[in-house]
Amino acid sequence: SPFERLNGEQALSHWRREMKRGSKESKESKESKESKEKADKAEKKKKKGGNARPERPGLPALCFLVLRTMFLVVIFGIGYAISISNLFYSEVEKKMSIVPRLLFLLVAQSAATELFAIAMLQLGRRLCGDEVATFEPTRSELAVNDSSIVWPRAELLSQELGRFASKAGQPFFLNHVRGRRRCKDAFMRLGMNMGSFITTWFIVSWMDESSLASLGLTMDQPFFVDAGIGLVVGISIVAFTFIVELTVGWVSFLQLFEVFDQTESFARCFFWDVVFHLNVALNEELPLRGWMLHNLAQACTAHLHLPPLYAFIFAMLVQSSFFVLLHLNSPGGARLPSMINIFVGGMAGGLNVLFTGGRLGFALGWHFGWNISMGNIFGLSTSGIPISATVVSVAPHPEKQAQHGGVFGPEGGLISPIAYGLGIFLLVAIYGIPKGDIYWLTT
């Protein structure tokens, strides 16, 4: 009958729909299973190699590193050819003119520090067990703050500071990373120091026909005594800065011996920060307060006939300007208060050399003591450099950035010029004011 035919057609239609639905569900189930398997594999790879991809550097990366090396060899080759050709010899200076030597320093040091930093990064990665598909630093290896680190803990905050804890971003300004990251930072900075040292040695040996001792890197007993005194002075003036900021309420005490990743060792994290800041001091002091300061002063005396003291002060102004440029890319480094304070710090570094008879020991000790105590003893930001552990943990007040310097730290705040002044007062009290001509500038 027509009704039976209709029911039969409906049953057939229903059966076809069920078959299609079952086929579709089967396909979706298969795709879901494959997607889950891929996600599981990716998670296993991530756990195995950290945040980095587990592939080893390929041919393009190796070629890129070889090209960098060849570029550096060409730069030093040109420098050597110029140094033996007397092409830019200055009769007034009795050696190659200051302009090509200064240009060579800037170009060669930039290329050398970058190459050696990349090379040493590979050692840091190997020590940390990371395998990355490129020689270049990854985005996570260059990040100034690890957002996965939850800091500070709510129970450590006062009622006043607790209301800022839920704000997005970094309401307390400080940059924190894990110790394994600081390990790689230390190796990169060691590489930068190697590049800087080699460049400065090349210029001094082949273009200046002198030695590193002429720049104040004498490595004798007075040098190390100066370094020890400078270390104490550097830590002392940072302690003064910390006490002032804590007393007036710009920062608040949280706890002692804080490691920002609780699974890591305080001693190991602190060790890598010590290595990092030792190389920062050497990497910046030798080219600036060593080569640039001495050679610019000598050139000004030769060309402008300035007395050695005035020539040295002019050279201090120039090297302090370069010191500012080095810090512009740091977090908060482009703010006007930060630039002013860094310039003043550069001038203080120049006075360290002037008052200690041209030696670099005191300046190196001051620089290292300032950096390591500010970031890893008193828990303050040092030019925005991230930390993984600190002896004293503090939280800067979110509404007092202008006073304590924000993410750049005290070097962008109000106390640093006073701290520099206190350091110079201690320098004069220990060494006295230079009298007569600066004889070591012409030797």
Side-chain angles (χ1 to χ4, degrees):
S1 69
F3 294 103
E4 290 176 346
R5 249 190 340 266
L6 182 60
N7 290 335
E9 290 174 357
Q10 287 177 343
L12 181 61
S13 176
H14 176 73
W15 177 79
R16 286 174 176 170
R17 286 198 302 270
E18 288 299 321
M19 288 293 291
K20 288 181 179 179
R21 185 184 303 170
S23 176
K24 183 177 180 181
E25 289 177 353
S26 177
K27 185 178 180 181
E28 289 177 349
S29 175
K30 186 178 179 181
E31 290 177 350
S32 175
K33 186 177 180 180
E34 290 177 352
S35 176
K36 186 178 180 181
E37 288 177 354
K38 287 181 180 179
D40 290 341
K41 287 181 181 179
E43 184 66 23
K44 287 180 181 178
K45 287 181 179 180
K46 185 177 180 181
K47 288 180 180 178
K48 184 179 178 182
N51 294 326
R53 290 176 291 178
E55 298 88 359
R56 295 185 180 277
L59 185 60
L62 289 171
C63 290
F64 192 59
L65 187 64
V66 170
L67 288 175
R68 282 180 181 273
T69 305
M70 291 175 61
F71 177 65
L72 183 61
V73 170
V74 168
I75 291 175
F76 276 95
I78 293 173
Y80 175 74
I82 292 174
S83 67
I84 62 175
S85 67
N86 293 328
L87 180 61
F88 296 104
Y89 184 80
S90 171
E91 290 290 344
V92 178
E93 297 179 48
K94 304 300 180 184
K95 55 185 172 183
M96 185 187 297
S97 175
I98 184 63
V99 174
R101 285 187 290 136
L102 179 59
L103 290 175
F104 180 84
L105 172 72
L106 299 177
V107 174
Q109 180 170 322
S110 176
T113 54
E114 189 172 4
L115 174 64
F116 281 94
I118 292 173
M120 294 303 295
L121 172 61
Q122 313 315 311
L123 294 180
R125 286 171 173 170
R126 181 173 291 274
L127 187 63
C128 294
D130 292 348
E131 291 184 1
V132 185
T134 175
F135 281 108
E136 302 289 314
T138 63
R139 184 176 298 179
S140 63
E141 289 170 337
L142 294 175
V144 294
N145 183 62
D146 188 341
S147 58
S148 68
I149 296 176
V150 180
W151 184 90
R153 300 204 311 268
E155 64 270 20
L156 297 176
L157 295 174
S158 64
Q159 186 175 0
E160 180 186 2
L161 294 180
R163 59 193 176 95
F164 298 100
S166 59
K167 287 193 173 183
Q170 296 173 246
F172 300 101
F173 305 104
L174 298 179
N175 292 322
H176 299 124
V177 294
R178 289 175 167 78
R180 60 186 292 111
R181 159 63 195 280
R182 292 300 286 159
C183 169
K184 291 185 281 188
D185 287 348
F187 272 95
M188 282 195 287
R189 184 58 71 162
L190 174 60
M192 294 177 68
N193 184 35
M194 291 168 60
S196 179
F197 183 87
I198 290 172
T199 302
T200 307
W201 172 85
F202 181 90
I203 296 175
V204 169
S205 300
W206 294 101
M207 297 181 176
D208 299 343
E209 297 182 354
S210 186
S211 66
L212 291 173
S214 68
L215 307 182
L217 198 67
T218 55
M219 304 301 287
D220 52 10
Q221 183 178 352
F223 173 89
F224 289 106
V225 171
D226 289 345
I229 297 173
L231 176 65
V232 173
V233 171
I235 294 175
S236 299
I237 60 180
V238 174
F240 163 78
T241 301
F242 171 77
I243 292 171
V244 171
E245 293 199 355
L246 189 65
T247 302
V248 299
W250 296 350
V251 298
S252 298
F253 172 78
L254 297 180
Q255 64 176 327
L256 294 175
F257 296 100
E258 182 170 23
V259 183
F260 300 106
D261 183 343
Q262 298 298 317
T263 64
E264 295 182 325
S265 161
F266 177 89
R268 187 173 299 172
C269 291
F270 194 87
F271 169 78
W272 290 121
D273 280 307
V274 169
V275 174
F276 177 86
H277 287 297
L278 273 173
N279 283 281
V280 167
L282 285 164
N283 179 44
E284 294 181 357
E285 292 298 324
L286 183 59
L288 290 178
R289 255 75 75 177
W291 189 89
M292 188 178 293
L293 194 55
H294 284 76
N295 282 273
L296 284 176
Q298 292 170 2
C300 287
T301 301
H303 289 280
L304 304 178
H305 305 292
L306 293 176
L309 179 60
Y310 293 117
F312 193 85
I313 293 174
F314 176 81
M316 284 171 52
L317 294 170
V318 176
Q319 65 85 20
S320 296
S321 301
F322 276 97
F323 196 48
V324 173
L325 292 176
L326 287 177
H327 290 79
L328 285 181
N329 288 331
S330 301
R335 294 175 59 243
L336 183 59
S338 302
M339 291 190 288
I340 292 174
N341 284 341
I342 291 298
F343 183 86
V344 174
M347 295 296 288
L351 292 176
N352 290 342
V353 176
L354 177 62
F355 287 11
T356 56
R359 297 190 299 270
L360 271 181
F362 187 92
L364 284 166
W366 170 315
H367 197 152
F368 172 69
W370 174 279
N371 282 2
I372 194 65
S373 62
M374 186 171 289
N376 299 98
I377 295 179
F378 299 110
L380 304 171
S381 179
T382 310
S383 306
I385 296 172
I387 57 177
S388 59
T390 179
V391 175
V392 181
S393 179
V394 297
H397 198 291
E399 294 182 337
K400 298 179 180 179
Q401 178 181 2
Q403 289 91 333
H404 57 62
V407 68
F408 199 68
E411 292 167 323
L414 300 179
I415 298 298
S416 276
I418 302 174
Y420 290 135
L422 175 60
I424 297 305
F425 172 79
L426 294 174
L427 174 66
V428 173
I430 296 169
Y431 291 93
I433 298 176
K435 297 178 181 179
D437 285 339
I438 310 174
Y439 68 92
W440 41 267
L441 268 182
T442 56
T443 58

